[in-house]
Amino acid sequence: MLKLTECPRDAMQGLHDFIPTDVKVNYINQLLTVGFDTIDFGSFVSPKAIPQMKDTAEVLKKLDLKDSKSKLLAIIANERGAKDAFHFEEIDYLGFPFSISETFQQRNTNSSIEESLKRVEAIQNGCLKNNKQLVVYISMAFGNPYGDVWHPDVVTEWAEKLAALDIAKIALSDTVGVSTPENISSLFAQLIPELPNIRFGAHLHTTPDTWEEKVAAAYNNGCIEFDGAIKGFGGCPMAADELTGNMPTEKMVEYFFKNNIETGINRDHFSDSVLFANQIFPV
C-alpha cells in the first residue's frame, strides 16, 4: 500500500506569525483522523532558528492518538534535539536533514557532511536504545544552487553509507525545487534495486505546474512513500522561486492516486482537513 506522510511542520515552520498552540493541536488532531501513514508534526530544534516550532512538546502532550493509525515524526538536527525527543514515547520517527551539499549542510545544521554522518550514527544508536526509528532526508538530492558538486553517483555513495547504519528510511529531498522527471527517475530506478533493505521516500518540492510529472517519475520507478503538505505550503525559504513549495497532498490524493491505488485515506476526513488548512495558511 502507498504510504503518505503529511507535513504540517514543514508547512508551518516558515510562517512569520506564530500559530497559537491550540490551533496547531486542533489541526494535527484533524489530520490524525485521515489515515496518513505518518504525520511530520513538529521539531526539536533551536527556537531561535525555528520559532514557529518552539511549542512542539506542548503540542505533543495535547494530541489525541488513541484512535489514530498514523505514526508521529519529529525533525531533529543534532544529538541534543534527539535526546529531547527521546523523552516522548508517542514519537515513532526522528527525521534528520542530511544534505549532500556542503554549503547547505553548514547553513542548515552548522556541520560538515562528514560530521553530520557521525551525528546520524550517534542518533541512530540512541534511537535503538529508545525504541525510535530514524528517517534521514537526503536534502539537495537532486542538485543545489550553490555550485557544490552533484551527480547521481554522489547521491548513491552517501545513500550507501547511510544504509550501512541500518536506519529505517531514506527520503530523497528536493530542497529547492530543482528536481526534474529525468533525475527523479534515474535516482529511484538506481537506488531502490541497489539497496533493497532500505525504504525510500520522496520529499519533493514543486511549482504548481510541475507536481504531476515529479510524482509520476518517482512512482513509476518504484517509490511508494511520498511526503506532502495540504495546499503545498511551506518549502525551503532559500528557494529562488516563490512559487516553489511542498508537494500538495490534495493533488496526490484527489488526482494522481485516486484510481486503483490504495492509500488508506478517509476521503471525508481528508476534505475536512483541507477546509481546516484554509483557516491556517494564507490564500
Side-chain angles (χ1 to χ4, degrees):
M1 185 172 73
L2 193 84
K3 294 183 178 182
L4 294 178
T5 295
E6 179 63 18
C7 303
R9 183 273 317 167
D10 203 359
M12 293 177 179
Q13 68 179 6
L15 296 180
H16 180 268
D17 294 335
F18 186 74
I19 301 169
T21 299
D22 284 344
V23 174
K24 291 175 184 167
V25 169
N26 291 338
Y27 182 50
I28 296 171
N29 276 335
Q30 172 60 42
L31 295 174
L32 285 165
T33 71
V34 172
F36 292 111
D37 180 78
T38 304
I39 306 290
D40 174 357
F41 81 100
S43 61
F44 291 89
V45 298
S46 168
K48 292 183 179 179
I50 310 291
Q52 189 66 253
M53 293 292 108
K54 65 184 180 182
D55 60 348
T56 289
E58 187 177 353
V59 167
L60 180 57
K61 292 175 183 178
K62 296 182 178 182
L63 295 182
D64 184 3
L65 301 169
K66 63 180 183 295
D67 294 321
S68 179
K69 71 175 186 179
S70 299
K71 296 174 281 292
L72 293 182
L73 180 148
I75 295 293
I76 48 92
N78 50 40
E79 293 169 68
R80 183 176 63 182
K83 289 177 180 177
D84 289 341
F86 290 153
H87 290 132
F88 300 94
E89 64 179 20
E90 301 92 339
I91 296 174
D92 302 281
Y93 294 117
L94 300 190
F96 183 86
F98 183 90
S99 177
I100 58 172
S101 158
E102 191 72 53
T103 302
F104 188 73
Q105 192 65 8
Q106 288 286 354
R107 292 187 180 190
N108 200 34
T109 64
N110 196 32
S111 67
S112 68
I113 301 177
E114 288 289 351
E115 289 169 339
S116 293
L117 185 63
K118 294 177 182 178
R119 286 186 185 180
V120 170
E121 184 173 7
I123 292 167
Q124 169 66 349
N125 289 335
C127 284
L128 294 174
K129 295 176 182 177
N130 289 276
N131 196 31
K132 310 294 183 198
Q133 295 187 69
L134 182 60
V135 176
V136 176
Y137 295 85
I138 298 185
S139 66
M140 303 291 177
F142 303 96
N144 65 82
Y146 308 113
D148 293 340
V149 174
W150 180 89
H151 188 275
D153 291 345
V154 175
V155 185
T156 300
E157 176 186 353
W158 287 110
E160 290 173 344
K161 290 181 179 181
L162 291 166
L165 300 177
D166 199 27
I167 61 176
K169 174 181 171 181
I170 293 174
L172 301 184
S173 301
D174 181 11
T175 315
V176 289
V178 298
S179 63
T180 64
E182 291 75 21
N183 59 25
I184 292 172
S185 297
S186 64
L187 279 176
F188 282 107
Q190 179 173 333
L191 287 170
I192 290 175
E194 185 168 324
L195 298 170
N197 295 325
I198 288 287
R199 291 164 49 198
F200 279 96
H203 184 101
L204 302 173
H205 291 177
T206 183
T207 55
D209 60 346
T210 60
W211 73 270
E212 186 170 12
E213 62 190 33
K214 293 186 178 188
V215 173
Y219 182 73
N220 292 336
N221 285 280
C223 181
I224 57 170
E225 302 200 25
F226 289 82
D227 290 7
I230 291 173
K231 295 190 67 181
F233 216 77
C236 179
M238 286 180 283
D241 187 343
E242 64 180 12
L243 294 178
T244 299
N246 278 295
M247 179 63 66
T249 311
E250 65 272 22
K251 297 289 190 183
M252 293 191 288
V253 169
E254 296 170 2
Y255 297 100
F256 195 87
F257 296 125
K258 67 178 180 178
N259 295 321
N260 303 318
I261 300 174
E262 179 58 45
T263 63
I265 297 297
N266 181 304
R267 298 301 178 105
D268 291 336
H269 289 183
F270 181 74
S271 296
D272 290 341
S273 298
V274 173
L275 291 175
F276 200 133
N278 290 333
Q279 303 173 38
I280 299 176
F281 302 108
V283 176

